[in-house]
Amino acid sequence: MIKGSCLCGGVNFELTGPLRNSVACHCVQCRKTSGHYVSATQVAPEQLRITKDETLQWYRSSPPAERGFCSRCGSSLFWRHDDDKGATSVMSGTLDGATGIQTEKHIFVADKGDYYDITDTLPQHDQ
């Protein structure tokens, strides 16, 4: 089991089972919600248990998707698409301790900011 939380502790959660490797998303929405780009793992509904949700808020960021964040500290925590059978992307930086995952690829690289370069050799995809 891997635990995670927002910065202030108003939202806590647990993840069980194997985690997908992290995907770095450079789309405009991810850059706006995080201040840079997002790197996230993904879990099936039965793998995510929210143990404290006193400050958890959901924002419909596009017609088919919503983002979960802390209303007190502003931490970006979750992203879920209506058509993904309940799968939830979990921001990798919100996980506590060692995760055993690595960044697997970059997506929406055509939308990345001009203030940084992607210098690793991971696959890059425009979705």
Side-chain angles (χ1 to χ4, degrees), residues 22-84:
S22 199
V23 172
C25 183
H26 301 267
C27 79
V28 172
Q29 287 188 9
C30 283
R31 289 192 300 117
K32 293 284 185 180
T33 61
S34 70
H36 191 35
Y37 66 89
V38 160
S39 190
T41 185
Q42 190 175 69
V43 295
E46 64 274 8
Q47 290 178 270
L48 170 62
R49 188 173 85 117
I50 297 173
T51 56
K52 184 177 179 185
D53 66 356
E54 71 181 46
T55 58
L56 179 60
Q57 294 289 310
W58 290 93
Y59 170 69
R60 176 121 340 238
S61 56
S62 62
E66 60 184 352
R67 295 169 184 273
F69 67 96
C70 175
S71 64
R72 182 171 33 213
C73 68
S75 293
S76 180
L77 302 164
F78 309 114
W79 181 91
R80 63 183 176 204
H81 192 280
D82 295 342
D83 295 339
D84 280 344

Side-chain angles (χ1 to χ4, degrees), residues 86-111:
T88 300
S89 293
V90 180
M91 304 313 157
S92 301
T94 65
L95 303 177
D96 300 332
T99 63
I101 62 174
Q102 296 179 346
T103 301
E104 181 175 286
K105 64 182 174 181
H106 296 273
I107 60 173
F108 292 102
V109 294
D111 297 335

